[in-house]
Amino acid sequence: MTDFENVFSSLSPEELGVLLENEEVTADAEDSRKIRDLAFEKAGIKRPHKKTAVLVRILAAAACLCVVSCAAVFGVKTFSKPQPTESTSTSAASSPGEKALMLAISNGDEGLIEKLLKSGVFVSRDILDYAVECTSFLSYNVISELAQATQDFFGSTGLDPLLESTLVGNSKKALEELKKRDGMLMTPSEKLAFFFSVAFCSSDVVEAFKEKGADISATDAAGNNILQIAEKYGNSENVRYAHEQGIS
């Protein structure tokens, strides 16, 4: 029996009724399907055959909400952290806590993410990678907290050094990394680093990005320009910088 079926079969009739009554399955939304598929793949849960698509959607909704809801309602136990080996830094989520965290990320449930982090759930590099891909609906603050937890455990996040430094708000290191780059191609990683620098770093870092070719009029995955990002995350220095650059 798969993890999927184990979770579903463990539900009481009352729990199943509540889940199916309250969970809305947006199976026709392409973005939702992609996010859900990636979450299950990362969590190591096998997707059933297409012929059972309708039943699968119900099971998926029940399984996802069960893991997340149970953690929120009954409280999440402190999960023991695995030793920092190469396998744990690159493997998919394996413990119940990690799977709950992955599903909370896929659902954009930032309140539960915070509870899981406070309870000591291990944040693997795979989980962090997935969270970074979810910048269109996760706040930068939550992603930064996940990055900090990974960095504290492993010594580094495993991300591109420039992205890591901006994500944890290390302006000095970000400037050092930018100096090493003669010309930037503004890869997806570098673009993310630019937006994170607006949220968490000094205006010197943002200006250095501009000098390296960053488009200061660009918007992030959620459609926010640098002024909106700086305002949202309380970076008054970069609010001033955005105004000076004519961004409104």
Side-chain angles (χ1 to χ4, degrees), residues 6-244:
N6 277 326
V7 171
F8 184 70
S9 63
S10 68
L11 299 178
S12 68
E14 292 79 12
E15 289 172 328
L16 180 57
V18 171
L19 290 173
L20 297 182
E21 179 181 341
N22 292 296
E23 177 66 7
E24 179 182 355
V25 183
T26 54
D28 293 330
E30 184 63 24
D31 287 343
S32 293
R33 283 201 302 271
K34 289 180 180 179
I35 291 169
R36 190 163 55 247
D37 288 345
L38 181 55
F40 279 112
E41 178 185 340
K42 290 275 189 175
I45 300 175
K46 186 177 180 180
R47 304 289 285 181
H49 196 272
K50 290 182 179 179
K51 289 183 178 179
T52 58
V54 175
L55 178 59
V56 168
R57 288 166 191 156
I58 295 174
L59 294 178
C64 289
L65 197 59
C66 176
V67 174
V68 176
S69 299
C70 289
V73 174
F74 300 108
V76 182
K77 295 180 180 179
T78 301
F79 298 96
S80 59
K81 294 181 180 180
Q83 293 302 309
T85 64
E86 182 176 353
S87 60
T88 58
S89 67
T90 58
S91 61
S94 56
S95 74
E98 291 172 71
K99 289 183 180 180
L101 181 56
M102 184 69 76
L103 292 171
I105 291 171
S106 72
N107 289 334
D109 190 338
E110 298 194 355
L112 181 56
I113 293 171
E114 293 283 355
K115 289 179 182 178
L116 291 167
L117 287 175
K118 288 179 181 178
S119 70
V121 171
F122 172 64
V123 183
S124 70
R125 286 170 174 169
D126 281 333
I127 290 176
L128 176 60
D129 287 344
Y130 176 54
V132 169
E133 293 172 8
C134 297
T135 54
S136 62
F137 61 89
L138 279 184
S139 73
Y140 290 3
N141 281 338
V142 165
I143 301 173
S144 181
E145 286 183 41
L146 291 166
Q148 191 65 62
T150 306
Q151 185 181 63
D152 289 346
F153 189 76
F154 289 106
S156 74
T157 62
L159 297 171
D160 171 78
L162 179 60
L163 179 57
E164 176 182 284
S165 60
T166 56
L167 188 48
V168 298
N170 189 333
S171 296
K172 180 179 179 181
K173 184 177 179 181
L175 287 171
E176 292 173 353
E177 289 298 327
L178 282 165
K179 287 179 181 178
K180 297 176 184 177
R181 309 191 184 202
D182 295 330
M184 296 176 63
L185 299 175
M186 289 309 288
T187 62
S189 175
E190 290 171 339
K191 288 179 181 178
L192 280 175
F194 170 63
F195 292 123
F196 286 135
S197 74
V198 174
F200 304 126
C201 295
S202 67
S203 59
D204 289 343
V205 178
V206 182
E207 176 63 21
F209 266 102
K210 178 186 175 184
E211 292 173 356
K212 294 291 183 177
D215 179 7
I216 61 169
S217 65
T219 56
D220 67 6
N224 298 307
N225 63 28
I226 65 171
L227 174 60
Q228 292 167 321
I229 294 170
E231 289 177 336
K232 183 175 182 179
Y233 296 102
N235 193 324
S236 58
E237 184 176 336
N238 283 332
V239 168
R240 291 193 297 273
Y241 177 85
H243 283 305
E244 290 169 359

